[in-house]
Amino acid sequence: MTALLCRALRGFIAACAALALWQAAHAGTATQTRYPIVLVHGLFGFDSALGVDYFYGIPDALRRDGAKVYVAQVSAANSTEVRGEQLLAQVKTILALSGAAKVNLIGHSHGGPTARYVAGVAPQLVASVTSVGGVNRGSRVADIMRGVAPAGSVSEAAANTAAKALVSLINVASGGTSLPQMPTAALDSLTTAGAARFNQRFGAGVPSSGCGSGAELVNGVRYYSWTGTRTATNLLDLSDAPLALLGLVFGEANDGLVSACSSRLGKSLGDYSQNHLDEVNQLLGLRDWFATDPVTLYREHATRLKGLGL
């Protein structure tokens, strides 16, 4: 009996040692995708402002587990095409610096269509496009602000003045002062009509109708999306109140700025208890503590892309 126990103990110790060796060998590689990940900010966004990342805590979390991550900086407010050309130039620079053949683009909000533009004009440079709360079929909020929908439309002059003031503040804080800004062009791109015009040229992955998934693989590029469907998620988050008010204009599931149906692109990876800012772990990580951590979603997706050889 004693000899049997000893053999069992030695076997257990050997198994533990093998597991430890396997974990050591694979530590820090869970998100190590074949191609670099490029994060693309949305309307009025930035890469980092006053030391705070737009994608709060997300680049570091991905890098810790092996991913090579770049954060793009495009115009805070401009048309999808202008932002797309800026992103394309940055992608080419990233490829030159990294030696990679392609990139994985992950865009939030207006960053979704911006990434889709690059995949549309240069699919050979893009392995995947992932849209997080992306404005892929327009936003009712943009419709209202541009006066093409009822319920509180504001004048173009007032909208432009307020938007330019916000953009100026973002530029000073983030170092993007050299980039051209045109808030009304940005809003035009994000209206339902503007998104429809864009989709006529760059419709890969966009569902033809309804609220389902679109094509996952188009022209060698894989398309994915996820979104939030709550507007108020944390009492301490000052952004929740305005997002909750904006969410009332939709009449369907939304994150405060984009409806769940409009956000669909390629294979839908789910709807979560997040609002539009929670989707990038803002403000400063305040969110629904009982729901999925936004950072976890990015890590899981990087692991998914790795598993696909991307």
Side-chain angles (χ1 to χ4, degrees):
M1 177 67 76
T2 301
L4 182 62
L5 287 174
C6 287
R7 283 197 298 273
L9 181 59
R10 285 197 296 272
F12 176 74
I13 292 173
C16 289
L19 177 61
L21 287 172
W22 185 91
Q23 289 176 329
H26 291 81
T29 64
T31 63
Q32 190 174 341
T33 53
R34 177 182 179 185
Y35 304 115
I37 292 172
V38 181
L39 301 174
V40 188
H41 65 73
L43 179 67
F44 300 143
F46 48 88
D47 52 356
S48 179
L50 300 178
V52 177
D53 291 339
Y54 176 92
F55 291 90
Y56 186 69
I58 293 167
D60 288 343
L62 295 175
R63 290 170 181 142
R64 278 196 300 270
D65 281 339
K68 184 171 290 186
V69 183
Y70 297 86
V71 183
Q73 182 170 28
V74 298
S75 292
N78 215 315
S79 71
T80 302
E81 290 81 2
V82 168
R83 286 165 50 96
E85 281 295 319
Q86 294 168 355
L87 178 59
L88 177 59
Q90 291 178 51
V91 165
K92 290 178 179 178
T93 299
I94 289 167
L95 295 179
L97 291 173
S98 66
K102 299 182 179 183
V103 294
N104 292 298
L105 298 173
I106 302 179
H108 173 244
S109 189
H110 198 183
T114 304
R116 289 169 47 211
Y117 175 90
V118 175
V121 299
Q124 74 279 8
L125 304 182
V126 181
S128 69
V129 170
T130 303
S131 172
V132 182
V135 196
N136 294 311
R137 285 194 283 178
S139 168
R140 184 168 174 77
V141 173
D143 290 343
I144 291 171
M145 292 189 70
R146 292 303 286 140
V148 294
S153 298
V154 297
S155 71
E156 179 172 324
N160 240 345
T161 299
K164 284 182 176 179
L166 178 57
V167 167
S168 297
L169 178 61
I170 290 170
N171 282 341
V172 169
S174 65
T177 52
S178 63
L179 296 172
Q181 311 293 349
M182 192 173 294
T184 52
L187 289 173
D188 284 341
S189 289
L190 299 176
T191 62
T192 302
R197 288 191 296 270
F198 179 79
N199 291 343
Q200 288 176 355
R201 296 179 60 204
F202 305 105
V206 178
S208 57
S209 61
C211 201
S213 291
E216 180 179 352
L217 181 62
V218 182
N219 204 15
V221 181
R222 291 189 176 273
Y223 290 87
Y224 301 96
S225 62
W226 74 80
T227 192
T229 52
R230 284 189 61 192
T231 55
T233 59
N234 191 304
L235 292 175
L236 300 177
D237 189 340
L238 297 178
S239 69
D240 276 24
L243 287 173
L245 288 173
L246 288 170
L248 296 176
V249 309
F250 286 93
E252 60 182 310
N254 68 91
D255 64 6
L257 287 177
V258 185
S259 73
C261 290
S262 177
S263 73
R264 297 286 192 264
L265 181 74
K267 182 178 181 180
S268 174
L269 301 177
D271 298 337
Y272 297 91
S273 179
Q274 299 172 1
N275 63 31
H276 200 67
L277 290 186
D278 293 336
E279 292 159 359
V280 289
N281 203 32
Q282 291 286 0
L283 285 172
L284 302 178
L286 293 174
R287 56 180 176 83
D288 182 349
W289 300 112
F290 300 100
T292 304
D293 184 348
V295 178
T296 298
L297 293 178
Y298 287 84
R299 293 185 70 257
E300 289 178 345
H301 189 48
T303 301
R304 179 182 295 109
L305 295 175
K306 176 187 176 182
L308 291 168
L310 305 179

